[in-house]
Amino acid sequence: MPSAPAVTAGSATGRAAIPRQQLWVEEPAARRRMPDPVRGSAVRAVLIMSLTIIQAMVAFLCTLAGSWLAFPMVLSSVASTVVATWSVLDVWVTRQVWNQRNGVISVPSSSARQLRRERRRARRAERTAERDEARIRRRGAERLSRA
């Protein structure tokens, strides 16, 4: 990556040039971006979980303070925990469905790639055998007498 041009600070006054670094440097992403449906459900799950944690904390503090609000808050915290668990499962299911519908990235050790390679070899062998057979038939036709 080319560096930013050096800016001479006070070059007219005879001071040394101070090279400046770039403010923003692009780095390649470590992982691929999540598909939109999966990301949407993940954002939803994070929001629901954060609200559940806040609600549980309020229920705990109300219980410590002896407030009348403690019992309803504990009940709603239990319900929110169920909903939060459901939302996390939704992320997992959405990811699985997306992978099933749109395919998975094939890696070199993938079994699908192995099967394709074997089919390709079989087709090549079949074509070679057909060519050899056709060549033998042509040679045999040339040697017959035309009398």
Side-chain angles (χ1 to χ4, degrees), residues 10-89:
S11 57
T13 60
R15 285 189 267 169
I18 303 171
R20 291 221 176 157
Q21 292 180 347
Q22 287 182 343
L23 190 61
W24 186 267
V25 178
E26 286 286 329
E27 293 181 3
R31 283 200 267 170
R32 292 182 50 216
R33 181 175 160 161
M34 269 195 287
D36 286 339
V38 178
R39 198 168 18 149
S41 63
V43 167
R44 207 175 318 121
V46 166
L47 289 174
I48 290 171
M49 289 199 41
S50 62
L51 288 175
T52 301
I53 291 170
I54 291 170
Q55 192 173 12
M57 194 63 174
V58 169
F60 176 72
L61 293 174
C62 285
T63 304
L64 286 180
S67 171
W68 64 270
L69 198 57
F71 184 68
M73 286 300 288
V74 167
L75 287 179
S76 65
S77 291
V78 169
S80 291
T81 303
V82 171
V83 172
T85 305
W86 189 265
S87 69
V88 170
L89 282 174

Side-chain angles (χ1 to χ4, degrees), residues 91-143:
V91 173
W92 182 69
V93 168
T94 306
R95 188 170 149 261
Q96 295 297 327
V97 167
W98 194 89
N99 280 341
Q100 222 171 25
R101 285 185 183 160
N102 299 301
V104 188
I105 300 169
S106 183
V107 293
S109 63
S110 152
S111 59
R113 186 171 289 185
Q114 182 79 22
L115 286 173
R116 278 198 310 261
R117 201 175 289 137
E118 288 172 6
R119 272 190 244 127
R120 229 180 285 131
R121 280 189 197 126
R123 270 187 265 133
R124 259 190 230 123
E126 190 177 320
R127 279 194 306 254
T128 306
E130 285 175 8
R131 263 190 251 124
D132 290 345
E133 192 176 318
R135 197 176 301 134
I136 290 170
R137 269 189 259 143
R138 276 183 295 189
R139 280 187 194 156
E142 292 172 359
R143 292 183 187 185

